[in-house]
Amino acid sequence: MALLARFFKPKWQHENPDIRRQALSGLTHTEQLLSFIDREMLTELRQQAVQQLQAADALETLLQHSHQDVREQARRILLQRLLPNDGNLQQINNDQHLVQIAVLTDDHATRLAAIGEIRNEQTRLDIAMNNPVAKVRLAAAEGIQASELLQQLLQHAQSKDKALYRLCKTRLSELKEAQAALTEQQQRFEQFLTQLNYLNKVGYNPEFYGRLQLLQQDWHSFEPLATTSQRAEIEQQLAAAQAILAEHAAIERAREEQQQREVTALTQQQQCLAQLHAWLSEPESFIDANAADALQSVRDAWQQANDLHPATRRDAQLFEQGHQTLQRMLTVIALYQQQQHEINTWLQTEPANDVEPLRQQQAAAQQWLSLLAWPTTDAQPTWLRDIQRHADRVFTQRQQLANEQQQHIQQLEQCLRELERALDQGQIKLAEKHHQQATQALQALPTSLASTITARVKLLSARLYELRDWQGFVTSPKQEALCEAMEALVGADLDPELIAAKVQALQEEWKQLGAKADQATWQRFKQAADAAFEPCRTFFAERNSLRQQWVAARQALTAQLNEYEQQLDWSKADWGAVQKTLEAARATFRQYSPVDRQAHQTTQAEFNAVCDRIYAHIKEEYDRNVLTKQQLIEQVSALLAQDDLAQAANQVKSLQQAWKAVGPIPRHVDQKLWRQFRQACDAIFARLDAQRQARKDDIEQDIERVQTRLEAAQNELQTALEQGQINIAEQHLQALRNELSSVRLPRAIQQQVQGYLDEWQRDIQQAHTAQQREQAQRRWQGLFDRLQALQHQDHALWGAATELPSGYDVTAFESAWQNRAASDQNDDKARALCVQMEILANLDSPDEDMPLRMTLQVQRLAEQLGNQRTTDSERYDLILTWLTIAASDQFYQRFMQALQRTL
């Protein structure tokens, strides 16, 4: 069978190389090619067989082949298939292919480029941990960004790969700082957004613009670092803030326009009032052909100003009063012009010397003055004054003539009384004398006055004639007629006062008869007179009783007022109520009428006396209040010279409250004093408004200067910190604080500025802390490098090591380096040092070292009794002791791991 088997072998297994070469060209199956490669002794045929393989996994299998040429041929083929034609590795998206390229290529640059294109960090970690080439490990680690992978690689590289260890440590530090910066940025963003939201929520206020400017400045500083969503949200809030500013600006413009309209309206209103006042003060300047048009123009201007801004109630009343007064003037002037001819004729007429013409002239004067009633007495036209003067002349002439006539009437009355006396006594001659004098006096009187006395004179003349007749004729028929006339009045349906007058008249006629009648006739006349007067007696008794009641009511009212005046506490009086009480009492007193003339004079005098006493109290209160308000005006006027206008304004407000608390005074006096007081108050508030506006402008300028200075300072500080010049940054910040300490800003702006200063101070402090931490880390790294150099006898690492931490003597390390070759390995002492360092680092020790750990812990506690040691001092002693021994890598790694945990 063995012999026959030789004839059944495949040609690619033939002993003849040429037959095998020929058979190889026909092989396509992967397993046959792999078998051929394993069996083939000729390098040429093996390489040809490798060249014919198509399966990548078969080529990868050959990478572990025993023949170098097969391995190399498979590597070149795989690499050729993986590499792009143009050699651009960026086209490869498969990280596994990139790893294969890095493994297969013998070109270091290609290997590093392939590793650089690997995107999967876990793949990079595997390369960095397992690749035997240090530069490849570094290249793979360069692309690792995940902190957990870097930490894993750091622990792996510790005490194994110094460069990789440093890279991981630096990268972790950078990631930590980046994370801290990101956290700080996020916090800053959230704080910024909170401030911006709050600013928009609160709405516009005097500090809105300044705060928005500072926030916008902040936004410019970290806008490039914001995400798209953050940027959109901030821009939306900033747009809302700008909208608030725009709305406020529109409101301000509207307010300014309204204020301008109010100022224009007020100015125009004051001009109209001034024009009316000028015309009222000098009517002659108003009286012309165009007076009505001018008045209408002022009326139109006033209405136009009111349309812009309504006038105050006081100004409106002044204008309406002035306008109505001038309108009345125009009416009077028109009436005068219509009656000018008649008035001039009347003015040229001299006052008459008779009562009746004078009465007619005075009636004409009253008619003209009533018709031409001038609305004011302050200023009158010349022609009206002429009318008034002529009327005064007529009145004076009539008064003088009336006085003269009164004298004549008095003389006539005296004559008539003497005539009556003579007639009563029956002295005919004396009666005739007085009758002649009375007749002459009567003839001297005007007809209008004489007519009222003529009847009496005629009556006396008749008595005189009858007296004359008495002596010659019998008076009985006349007495009989008088009796009949008196009897006719008995029971007559007439008014009691008329009956009383007729009775009195008949009695006077009886007396004028002068002759003594018989007793029966006299009794008849007297009885008839008494019977006729009886109804009158009841009437006059009732009227007299009613008048007595009015008198009693007047006296009672006067008594009540006396009691009111005496019992009222005038220091606490309600003056409004007092005034109303007095007015009510006067109105009531007038209702208690009529009374007898004598009683009226007496009760009126008593009532006036008590009213005068009450009004005297009111007058005293008026005088006190007037004096108080005058003093308040003086106090407000004195405040005009005060420099502190804010304090002056507060005092003005207090004085205004005091003004309101002052009691009553006459209205016309109160209005005059109020105008003076208000003008003084308005002047102070106007100065305060001007001062506040100036202060506001100064504050806005200060804010702009501070903003500019803050921007410049921020750039200076940022540049100094980026260059590591922390001292210079602190100097800049202190100079900025000194500069801004003298600038007065609103409280909110000042707090914001202080916030920036404090934030920059924290940045400087953080930079200073980071610099110190970095320096400390470099120093501790110098210690670690020295310990590692001692452990591995690494001269290069020893020479490159940096300074030691503060307090560590470099001499001890130099001595250990010099004696490194002579140090004997002491695992027991190294174990003890490792356990002590693990105790110090609070790390668990291996189980087999737990008994030793317990012993050392007890010993450590005993040593610390009464002598408390710090972690730094214990760590220092352990490191110095470690320098004196030689330890295995196992204990070295334990010691270093525990040492790092103590930091």
Side-chain angles (χ1 to χ4, degrees), residues 569-746:
D569 185 358
W570 294 102
S571 62
K572 301 178 181 179
D574 183 351
W575 298 106
V578 171
Q579 184 65 40
K580 291 181 180 178
T581 300
L582 187 60
E583 293 174 356
R586 286 173 173 168
T588 304
F589 186 86
R590 287 192 295 270
Q591 295 176 358
Y592 295 154
S593 297
V595 296
D596 293 338
R597 181 180 181 84
Q598 184 63 35
H600 171 72
Q601 294 177 350
T602 302
T603 56
Q604 186 70 58
E606 294 174 352
F607 182 77
N608 290 340
V610 66
C611 289
D612 291 343
R613 290 198 302 275
I614 294 175
Y615 184 76
H617 294 296
I618 298 176
K619 183 66 167 54
E620 291 179 1
E621 176 65 14
Y622 283 170
D623 294 342
R624 286 193 298 270
N625 295 337
V626 169
L627 179 60
T628 301
K629 290 195 172 183
Q630 289 175 344
Q631 292 173 348
L632 292 175
I633 294 172
E634 293 175 357
Q635 294 177 19
V636 173
S637 301
L639 294 175
L640 286 170
Q642 187 168 327
D643 294 334
D644 190 350
L645 294 179
Q647 182 179 1
N650 292 331
Q651 294 178 1
V652 167
K653 294 177 181 178
S654 300
L655 294 175
Q656 288 176 338
Q657 296 299 322
W659 181 279
K660 295 178 181 179
V662 178
I665 60 176
R667 180 176 178 81
H668 66 284
V669 178
D670 190 27
Q671 291 178 344
K672 180 179 179 182
L673 294 176
W674 168 247
R675 286 194 294 269
Q676 298 176 5
F677 182 75
R678 181 178 177 181
Q679 290 175 356
C681 294
D682 291 345
I684 292 177
F685 286 119
R687 285 190 59 198
L688 179 61
D689 290 340
Q691 186 185 68
R692 286 177 174 172
Q693 184 60 41
R695 174 57 183 158
K696 181 179 179 182
D697 295 339
D698 293 341
I699 289 175
E700 289 180 354
Q701 294 177 2
D702 290 341
I703 291 174
E704 291 180 359
R705 287 196 297 269
V706 169
Q707 287 177 347
T708 303
R709 184 66 184 91
L710 288 175
E711 292 175 359
Q714 185 179 19
N715 295 331
E716 294 174 355
L717 292 172
Q718 186 175 0
T719 302
L721 291 177
E722 289 177 352
Q723 296 176 355
Q725 299 174 343
I726 298 177
N727 292 334
I728 295 178
E730 289 180 342
Q731 294 174 3
H732 286 326
L733 183 58
Q734 185 59 41
L736 181 61
R737 288 184 185 275
N738 295 336
E739 181 179 347
L740 296 180
S741 62
S742 61
V743 180
R744 294 179 59 190
L745 296 173

Side-chain angles (χ1 to χ4, degrees), residues 812-825:
F813 286 84
E814 293 292 344
S815 177
W817 178 257
Q818 296 297 332
N819 299 326
R820 64 189 181 282
S823 300
D824 295 331
Q825 184 169 330

Side-chain angles (χ1 to χ4, degrees), residues 790-791 793 816 819-831 833 881-889 891-892:
L790 285 171
Q791 181 68 24
Q793 304 294 311
N819 299 326
R820 64 189 181 282
S823 300
D824 295 331
Q825 184 169 330
N826 190 341
D827 288 343
D828 292 337
K829 193 169 185 179
R831 185 189 305 274
L833 290 174
T881 306
W882 182 269
L883 293 176
T884 62
I885 67 170
S888 65
D889 289 343
F891 291 118
Y892 167 75

